[in-house]
């Protein structure tokens, strides 16, 4: 089996390939000079890659081989005449036969033809709370889409700095689901929560976890309520929230507070939980000290193989991987521009 | 028949091509013709309001013409990635 680690950076896409998850080969970059903000594989196996640019806007590209790419003419985004700009495609997620794109300026778009054409999820994009949506430091962005694999009509979307919304009817209606999460001083608008990372247990999809601006939380009731879970953590701020589904192990990358946003004490560390988030511990060995780079929300991924592999990229351009579910970490080859997105494909 | 030259980074969506012979008498006609050939370029040159993106410029032999789309295109239009912010 060949594992391809797709690395999206502020200046291009890079691909590391390995047959054993220990020895990696770096391929030629794609889209040099472009921000590469998300990757995905559609239900039929086509690859998607999202680009953005401070000069030339955002776009979506398709490929059958991660080598030759063709830009989608009318990708996910706001229609001609809209006052909302498309600045970045933050996430791509295939759920059943559909593929979703979460974007900035915040919106959710869906494709039923492998990414060739897209339409707006109007009930979310024109939600009754829309006028109260405000951006976070990273923008006003829809950055996570997760779904109940047994019930594709139930989905959750994370939007910053708005919160988590859930649909139970396939996207026809959406409800904010942030109760119990420390958020805005005035919660009356129903928005203002700054979710950073979001994942669920596909076997028990009523269980969700979120890395929030204000801390680490879980829900046992599909997001109806949340509780803080930070025992053992050196800090509760951070961005990614990743789960190895086979073992149930959770991974996060704590940072020293929203004021500083640095690894605590200069120790770049991943923390894991083996008990649904009851407690956390430092995850394995091999990560560096005296390191002051961070892990962005889209820059950590689990490969869902057996044993689980976990990978993360830093704002300093380093990629680390663990082929044994977070026990031993290796620095993978290459030093890249700021890493914005990471995805893994196994064939 | 004017030529249009696009920035090197945009050749990622035009199969590596940067120079195009296009039809059209005016700047607007020439750019429209180019976009007709490569519709993927529209999103990179224009925003949702149909305006040139703020850090993209278009010049002909007489000077900047992205604000003068009805002007004659001349022999050559050069679309530039503006030097914006260092």
């Amino acid at each position: 089996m060949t594992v391809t680690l797709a690395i999206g950076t502020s200046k291009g896409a890079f691909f590391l390939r390995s047959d054993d998850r220990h020895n990696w080969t770096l391929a030629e970059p794609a889209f040099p000079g472009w921000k590469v903000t998300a990757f995905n594989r559609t239900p039929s196996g086509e690859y998607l890659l999202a680009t953005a640019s401070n000069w030339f806007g955002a776009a979506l590209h398709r490929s059958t081989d991660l080598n030759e790419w063709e830009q989608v003419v009318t990708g996910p985004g706001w229609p001609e005449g809209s006052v909302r700009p498309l600045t970045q495609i933050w996430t791509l997620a295939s759920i059943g036969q559909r593929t979703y794109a979460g974007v900035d300026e915040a919106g959710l778009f869906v494709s039923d033809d492998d990414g060739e054409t897209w339409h707006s999820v109007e009930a979310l994009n024109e939600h009754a709370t829309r006028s109260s949506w405000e951006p976070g430091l990273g923008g006003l962005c829809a950055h996570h889409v997760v779904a109940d694999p047994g019930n594709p009509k139930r989905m959750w979307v994370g939007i910053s700095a708005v919160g988590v919304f859930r649909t139970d009817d396939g996207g026809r209606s959406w409800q904010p689901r942030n109760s119990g999460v420390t958020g805005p001083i005035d919660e009356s608008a129903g928005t203002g929560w700054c979710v950073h990372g979001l994942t669920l247990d596909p076997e028990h999809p009523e269980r969700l976890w979120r890395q929030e601006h204000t801390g680490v939380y879980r829900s046992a009731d599909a997001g109806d309520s949340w509780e803080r879970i930070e025992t053992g953590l050196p800090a509760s701020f951070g961005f990614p929230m990743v789960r190895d589904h086979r073992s149930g192990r959770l991974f996060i990358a704590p940072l020293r507070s929203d004021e500083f946003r640095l690894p605590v004490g200069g120790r770049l560390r991943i923390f894991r939980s083996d008990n649904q988030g009851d407690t956390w511990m430092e995850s394995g060995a091999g990560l560096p000290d005296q390191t002051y780079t961070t892990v962005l929300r889209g820059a950590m991924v689990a490969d869902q193989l057996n044993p689980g592999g976990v990978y993360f990229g830093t704002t300093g351009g380093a990629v680390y991987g663990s082929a044994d579910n977070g026990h031993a970490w290796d620095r993978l080859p290459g030093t890249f521009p700021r890493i914005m997105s990471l995805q893994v494909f196994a064939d | 028949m004017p030529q249009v030259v696009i920035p090197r980074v945009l050749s990622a969506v035009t199969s590596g091509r940067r120079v195009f012979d296009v039809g059209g008498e005016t700047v607007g006609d020439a750019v429209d013709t180019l976009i007709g050939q490569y519709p993927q370029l529209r999103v990179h040159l224009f925003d949702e309001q149909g305006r040139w993106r703020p850090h993209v410029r278009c010049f002909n032999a007489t000077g900047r013409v992205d604000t003068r789309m009805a002007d004659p295109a001349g022999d050559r239009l050069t679309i530039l990635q503006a030097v914006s912010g260092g």
Side-chain angles (χ1 to χ4, degrees):
Chain A
M1 175 179 292
T2 298
V3 173
T4 299
L5 191 59
I7 305 161
T9 79
S10 59
K11 296 180 182 176
F14 301 84
F15 300 98
L16 285 168
R17 291 194 173 86
S18 176
D19 294 328
D20 59 7
R21 296 188 291 174
H22 290 286
N23 297 292
W24 296 86
T25 302
L26 181 63
E28 288 296 307
F31 297 97
W34 293 83
K35 297 177 192 177
V36 176
T37 58
F39 299 93
N40 186 47
R41 202 168 191 181
T42 68
S44 70
E46 279 212 58
Y47 298 98
L48 300 178
L49 177 155
T51 56
S53 162
N54 293 345
W55 292 270
F56 301 116
L60 184 69
H61 309 264
R62 298 201 304 171
S63 173
T64 57
D65 58 7
L66 289 173
N67 186 38
E68 297 291 328
W69 295 91
E70 183 172 359
Q71 184 181 319
V72 175
V73 173
T74 308
W78 303 107
E80 208 169 312
S82 173
V83 297
R84 297 175 189 155
L86 176 74
T87 61
Q88 184 171 318
I89 298 167
W90 273 83
T91 189
L92 296 161
S94 289
I95 295 164
Q97 293 302 305
R98 315 192 86 182
T99 299
Y100 290 87
V103 308
D104 180 322
E105 183 172 319
L108 184 67
F109 295 83
V110 63
S111 172
D112 291 310
D113 55 9
D114 270 9
E116 181 66 28
T117 61
W118 295 81
H119 60 268
S120 168
V121 180
E122 288 290 292
L124 181 61
N125 295 344
E126 308 304 331
H127 196 267
T129 62
R130 177 94 201 190
S131 63
S132 70
W133 294 13
E134 296 282 351
L137 187 63
L140 178 56
C141 50
H143 53 73
H144 275 82
V145 180
V146 299
D148 177 345
N151 175 15
K153 289 189 172 182
R154 172 171 272 194
M155 296 169 45
W156 297 259
V157 172
I159 305 175
S160 290
V162 181
V164 169
F165 289 82
R166 190 181 80 203
T167 180
D168 295 318
D169 56 14
R172 287 198 293 273
S173 65
W174 297 80
Q175 296 78 38
R177 285 290 178 264
N178 306 289
S179 179
V181 179
T182 300
I185 294 170
D186 178 5
E187 297 185 357
S188 62
T191 61
W193 281 266
C194 194
V195 57
H196 290 176
L198 183 67
T199 192
L200 58 56
D201 176 354
E203 297 288 318
H204 301 279
E206 71 280 5
R207 297 178 184 166
L208 292 102
W209 295 265
R210 68 197 265 179
Q211 171 68 66
E212 188 83 3
H213 192 113
T214 58
V216 185
Y217 298 83
R218 72 180 169 198
S219 173
D221 54 14
D224 286 344
S225 63
W226 298 85
E227 63 173 335
R228 197 180 279 269
I229 46 164
E230 297 170 354
T231 302
L233 291 175
S236 62
F237 187 79
F239 288 96
M241 170 67 80
V242 166
R243 186 175 187 272
D244 172 63
H245 297 318
R246 191 178 304 271
S247 65
R249 181 169 285 173
L250 297 161
F251 297 92
I252 60 175
L255 297 176
R256 181 189 171 201
S257 86
D258 57 350
E259 295 170 292
F260 301 100
R261 303 181 183 221
L262 292 166
V264 179
R267 301 174 73 244
L268 179 64
R269 293 294 184 274
I270 301 302
F271 276 68
R272 69 175 189 244
S273 174
D274 290 332
N275 51 20
Q276 316 288 342
D278 285 343
T279 58
W280 298 86
M281 62 185 292
E282 198 169 296
S283 189
L287 297 177
D289 295 342
Q290 298 181 320
T291 300
Y292 295 91
T293 56
T294 63
V295 186
L296 300 180
R297 78 191 74 201
M300 185 189 286
V301 65
D303 63 20
Q304 309 301 344
L305 299 176
N306 186 16
V310 187
Y311 312 88
F312 70 91
T314 73
T315 51
V319 178
Y320 294 88
S322 169
D324 58 6
N325 211 13
H327 289 289
W329 295 90
D330 291 314
R331 170 85 188 263
L332 274 52
T335 301
F336 306 100
R338 177 184 176 90
I339 295 172
M340 307 175 73
S341 59
L342 212 57
Q343 189 54 271
V344 63
F345 304 111
D347 286 300
Chain B
M1 178 178 287
Q3 280 188 332
V4 181
V5 183
I6 63 170
R8 191 184 309 272
V9 71
L10 284 182
S11 67
V13 297
T14 57
S15 304
R17 287 189 64 189
R18 293 187 60 209
V19 181
F20 307 88
D21 294 316
V22 298
E25 295 296 317
T26 68
V27 174
D29 291 343
V31 173
D32 283 348
T33 304
L34 174 64
I35 289 175
Q37 294 174 10
Y38 291 93
Q40 295 93 334
L41 285 173
R42 178 183 298 280
V43 70
H44 299 302
L45 301 180
F46 299 100
D47 67 13
E48 287 78 1
Q49 298 280 310
R51 300 170 299 208
W52 284 91
R53 290 192 174 275
H55 301 287
V56 178
R57 296 286 184 270
C58 183
F59 292 83
N60 70 6
T62 67
R64 181 180 170 188
V65 292
D66 46 86
T67 54
R68 308 199 316 257
M69 297 289 275
D71 276 17
D75 294 334
R76 190 176 178 96
L77 291 174
T78 303
I79 297 172
L80 290 177
Q81 176 176 351
V83 180
S84 305

